[in-house]
Amino acid sequence: MRSDKKGSQAGFLAPMYIFTLLFLIGPFVYMIILSFLTRAETWGVVNEFTFRNYTRILEPVYRSTVFNSLKLALDVTFLVILFGYPFGYFMAKLPPRKRGLMMLLLMIPFWTNSLMRLYGWIIIFRANGILDKLLMLLHLTEKPLKLLYSWPAVTVGMVYALLPFMILSVYSSVEKMDWTLVEASRDLGAGPAKAFLTVTLPLSMPGLLSGVILTFVPSVGLFFIADILGGNKIVLLGNVIQEQLMKVHDWPFAAALSVILMLMTSLMILLYRKLTGAAEMEGML
């Protein structure tokens, strides 16, 4: 009887294992092996082991690209926390009817193609666009600003695309909070700020950290936003990988860059698991 049960469980789990092996572990192992091979002179690769693909990343042009990608990811993550945490927090405290309306308004942009939404930012940021006319109408500027194809434009586009993930993560965490703990801290003499820092923020930390992961990890590799709003002036790690694959056809070097990108995002995920594990241990104590 027990053997039949184990056999049925193995049968149910087999498709999951096959899928993981074929579409997750297999491509990742292939990418690592490819990163140590040598590019052929004309097309494809040569089975010659080399570290050259990784040492090239230390060249100034690629080193600055990695640095800029990390800087942009940190800037975007900071801004998303700054705007997304308060939004998700106060949305969770709204009455159910208003909460549902805010959720609907938050999800409506996802019904439109992301490229179309980003092209809308081109209309806003271009010279003599909506933003320029508004600033000049308010006498804040005297001439059109060159915002399109700049670092601020890419940052705004990234924040716009990733902000809902932070809002929803914080909202999910705050909605499940035990508000009697906050009331107890207020009854014991804690002010609003102290109650928030000592009770509300630690309890909502899992949602905040989830939002950070959902923001930081994509922002390191997103390249189509930099292509649309940054032109050829803002080059990120994802742009270099795309160029090496589609134009230069240097697949081993693109694989090495992808491995570095995977390592950076994996470190963030490990840090997230460590922080959430520490938070759960503090909650148990």
Side-chain angles (χ1 to χ4, degrees):
M1 191 72 180
R2 186 173 297 178
S3 60
D4 293 339
K5 188 176 181 180
K6 289 182 179 180
S8 61
Q9 289 178 350
F12 283 118
L13 294 176
M16 182 183 68
Y17 290 139
I18 294 174
F19 179 88
T20 303
L21 181 63
L22 291 179
F23 298 103
L24 294 178
I25 299 177
F28 184 67
V29 172
Y30 172 74
M31 182 177 66
I32 294 176
I33 296 173
L34 183 62
S35 68
F36 289 104
L37 299 181
T38 304
R39 176 193 177 190
E41 294 184 1
T42 55
W43 182 271
V45 296
V46 179
N47 294 329
E48 295 180 2
F49 184 86
T50 180
F51 287 104
R52 171 62 179 163
N53 300 314
Y54 287 95
T55 57
R56 283 181 62 189
I57 300 175
L58 300 178
E59 296 177 5
V61 60
Y62 299 118
R63 189 171 66 243
S64 63
T65 301
V66 175
F67 174 78
N68 288 335
S69 299
L70 288 174
K71 184 179 182 299
L72 179 64
L74 292 174
D75 291 345
V76 170
T77 303
F78 172 76
L79 292 174
V80 166
I81 293 173
L82 185 64
F83 294 108
Y85 186 92
F87 194 107
Y89 174 81
F90 288 109
M91 187 172 74
K93 296 188 69 175
L94 289 174
R97 188 171 182 178
K98 293 183 178 180
R99 191 187 309 165
L101 177 61
M102 291 300 297
M103 183 70 71
L104 177 64
L105 294 175
L106 185 65
M107 298 302 296
I108 282 177
F110 285 95
W111 300 351
T112 308
N113 185 274
S114 59
L115 294 178
M116 295 297 295
R117 288 186 277 125
L118 288 175
Y119 278 113
W121 283 105
I122 294 179
I123 300 174
I124 296 174
F125 283 135
R126 69 182 181 182
N128 290 316
I130 296 174
L131 182 60
D132 276 338
K133 291 179 179 179
L134 178 62
L135 292 176
M136 288 188 289
L137 180 65
L138 297 174
H139 302 287
L140 296 176
T141 58
E142 297 179 355
K143 59 182 180 179
L145 301 175
K146 296 181 179 180
L147 293 176
L148 190 60
Y149 307 132
S150 65
W151 187 273
V154 176
T155 303
V156 171
M158 290 276 195
V159 171
Y160 170 73
L162 299 173
L163 185 61
F165 297 105
M166 175 63 72
I167 294 174
L168 294 175
S169 298
V170 173
Y171 166 80
S172 177
S173 183
V174 173
E175 187 188 26
K176 299 174 183 178
M177 278 178 47
D178 186 359
W179 291 99
T180 58
L181 298 176
V182 181
E183 295 174 1
S185 67
R186 296 296 304 275
D187 292 338
L188 292 173
K194 187 174 182 180
F196 174 80
L197 292 175
T198 58
V199 180
T200 304
L201 184 60
L203 290 177
S204 61
M205 188 59 68
L208 176 61
L209 294 175
S210 298
V212 168
I213 291 298
L214 293 174
T215 301
F216 182 86
V217 172
S219 60
V220 174
L222 281 177
F223 62 89
F224 70 94
I225 296 178
D227 279 341
I228 295 174
L229 298 179
N232 58 358
K233 297 180 180 179
I234 309 298
V235 179
L236 303 178
L237 192 56
N239 300 100
V240 178
I241 294 173
Q242 182 200 28
E243 181 183 15
Q244 296 297 320
L245 283 173
M246 307 302 295
K247 298 179 181 179
V248 183
H249 303 296
D250 192 346
W251 301 337
F253 184 52
L257 291 171
S258 301
V259 170
I260 296 299
L261 182 61
M262 287 288 295
L263 289 176
M264 290 191 299
T265 55
S266 298
L267 287 175
M268 281 297 300
I269 295 174
L270 289 175
L271 180 61
Y272 162 74
R273 294 188 63 180
K274 185 175 180 180
L275 291 175
T276 53
E280 290 177 358
M281 289 297 296
E282 289 181 1
M284 293 175 63
L285 294 176

